[in-house]
Amino acid sequence: MLNRKTSHFLGMRVQSELEHLSELRREAGKDRISARGSAARTRASVRTQSTAAAAAKADEDPGANLFPPPLPRPRICMWKYLDIHSMHQLEKTTSAEEMRQVLAELLELGCPEQSLRDAITLDLFCHALIFCRQQGFSLEQTSAACALLQDLHKACIATPLGNVEECYHYFTSVLFCHGVRRPPFSIDLFKEEQLLALEDYVVNTYFRHFKLYKYVFTPQVRLDLSLTYMGLQPPKLWPESETEKEASKEVEEQAVTPQEEELETVAPPEPEPSHVHILRAYIKTQMNKELEELQQLVEEQLKASEERLSSKLTALERPFQLPPGKGKSKTK
């Protein structure tokens, strides 16, 4: 009887210990998962902070945006901006004004009558659609031509710096993506004659006015140039003493009469600081040296030209003499 109770008690104890161990393992697993999650969140926060710091550094760095941004890779752009439903809406239009209204809604242009940029963009795509109708392009070809022009326009206005060569290379690459059958990189959407016609149209209408589009759609670039001379300390502001401040306050408080204004004399100019005087003297000596060298060079050139002219004059002033033997008659 004791053995049964003892075994039963031992069994209950072992089971309780096993349950306790399983609970400890679960808690340990939960702690590991939470630790991993916190570590992942910490990494993500560190990445976001580093990215934000890099972006702020790029914004603060004045030389970060000196070069134009890289252009995207050329890809197939059929149905990219104008899908099949949009092309059906444009196909139903019968006049240029109706086409402009539908195109303004599809391109989400606010108010072309008030915005100069929206009006220019609308004119660009309206004339492109008219060209596609004249060439007899299909809906797929018209959509691809408009998307190609839109991508080219985005590449142009991405930077105020000059990138006409890069934009032309990008345009020709995208154009060939729609003229050669090489899936999935390119398709034969246009024929050779259509490709040449589209290229001539874009070159004559967009690339001829490339700088005008860039002037309207990009901010103006101004050069802020500052020079620093080696060996000279930057100018320092001389702090005013307390006595000078009190004297200036007293002068401001006192009213100046007209007679006193007449009796006032012109104050002598303040002496320049030592570093400004040294810089002025250095610039003056360098200018004088350059002027002396330039004057010497001009005098040498004038002297050489005078010598050439005098030699030509002396040659012209000599009497014409026949060569010996030609003036004598031959005697037999």
Side-chain angles (χ1 to χ4, degrees):
M1 190 73 181
L2 291 172
N3 293 330
R4 291 179 183 177
K5 290 182 180 180
T6 306
S7 61
H8 180 70
F9 177 73
L10 290 173
M12 293 292 290
R13 188 176 179 181
V14 170
Q15 186 176 2
S16 63
E17 288 180 357
L18 290 174
E19 291 177 355
H20 183 63
L21 286 174
S22 63
E23 289 179 0
L24 290 176
R25 288 176 182 175
R26 288 172 191 165
E27 291 178 358
K30 290 180 181 180
D31 293 338
R32 289 175 186 173
I33 293 171
S34 61
R36 290 174 183 173
S38 62
R41 285 192 294 271
T42 306
R43 292 195 199 104
S45 63
V46 169
R47 287 176 185 171
T48 53
Q49 289 175 2
S50 62
T51 307
K57 187 177 180 181
D59 294 336
E60 293 176 359
D61 189 7
N65 298 323
L66 290 179
F67 300 99
L71 297 177
R73 294 180 61 184
R75 295 183 179 180
I76 300 171
C77 55
M78 187 174 62
W79 311 124
K80 187 174 182 180
Y81 301 105
L82 298 175
D83 55 3
I84 185 66
H85 303 290
S86 303
M87 292 308 303
H88 281 304
Q89 292 180 11
L90 291 170
E91 191 180 13
K92 293 177 182 179
T93 57
T94 56
S95 62
E97 188 65 27
E98 187 179 359
M99 181 192 296
R100 289 174 64 89
Q101 293 178 0
V102 175
L103 195 58
E105 294 178 359
L106 294 175
L107 296 178
E108 298 180 355
L109 299 177
C111 188
E113 291 80 9
Q114 298 179 0
S115 177
L116 180 62
R117 294 183 177 180
D118 292 344
I120 293 173
T121 305
L122 189 59
D123 287 338
L124 176 65
F125 285 99
C126 280
H127 289 290
L129 287 174
I130 293 172
F131 166 77
C132 293
R133 285 187 178 182
Q134 292 175 354
Q135 295 293 325
F137 286 176
S138 62
L139 298 181
E140 295 84 356
Q141 292 173 345
T142 305
S143 175
C146 292
L148 191 149
L149 192 60
Q150 178 77 351
D151 290 341
L152 173 62
H153 184 61
K154 287 182 178 180
C156 170
I157 65 177
T159 174
L161 304 177
N163 59 342
V164 60
E165 295 182 359
E166 292 82 359
C167 287
Y168 183 75
H169 179 68
Y170 173 71
F171 164 70
T172 54
S173 301
V174 177
L175 196 64
F176 281 118
C177 285
H178 301 80
V180 181
R181 183 174 180 81
R182 194 164 62 91
F185 306 102
S186 61
I187 56 175
D188 53 348
L189 183 63
F190 294 98
K191 298 180 181 178
E192 184 179 356
E193 297 82 7
Q194 293 173 339
L195 284 177
L196 293 175
L198 183 59
E199 182 184 8
D200 292 339
Y201 173 77
V202 175
V203 168
N204 291 326
T205 58
Y206 194 88
F207 281 101
R208 285 186 183 274
H209 309 93
F210 190 83
K211 292 184 178 180
L212 292 177
Y213 284 108
K214 191 175 285 293
Y215 175 77
V216 174
F217 288 91
T218 57
Q220 188 177 2
V221 179
R222 294 183 179 179
L223 178 62
D224 188 7
L225 184 63
S226 61
L227 301 176
T228 56
Y229 294 91
M230 302 300 294
L232 296 178
Q233 297 180 356
K236 297 181 179 179
L237 297 177
W238 297 98
E240 296 181 357
S241 61
E242 295 181 356
T243 56
E244 291 178 354
K245 290 181 180 179
E246 293 177 356
S248 62
K249 289 181 180 178
E250 291 178 358
V251 170
E252 290 178 356
E253 291 176 356
Q254 295 176 357
V256 182
T257 60
Q259 294 179 356
E260 290 176 350
E261 289 180 356
E262 293 178 358
L263 294 175
E264 283 181 356
T265 57
V266 179
E270 296 180 358
E272 295 181 348
S274 59
H275 60 274
V276 177
H277 181 69
I278 295 171
L279 179 60
R280 192 184 297 276
Y282 175 75
I283 294 174
K284 188 179 292 185
T285 53
Q286 292 295 324
M287 290 291 293
N288 292 333
K289 187 184 296 184
E290 293 291 335
L291 288 175
E292 289 177 0
E293 293 179 357
L294 184 61
Q295 186 176 3
Q296 185 177 1
L297 180 62
V298 171
E299 289 178 355
E300 291 177 357
Q301 291 180 355
L302 288 175
K303 187 176 180 181
S305 63
E306 288 178 0
E307 290 178 356
R308 289 196 299 271
L309 183 61
S310 62
S311 62
K312 290 181 180 179
L313 289 176
T314 52
L316 291 173
E317 289 176 356
R318 289 175 184 174
F320 182 73
Q321 297 179 359
L322 293 173
K326 288 188 177 181
K328 298 179 181 178
S329 60
K330 294 181 181 180
T331 56
K332 293 183 180 180

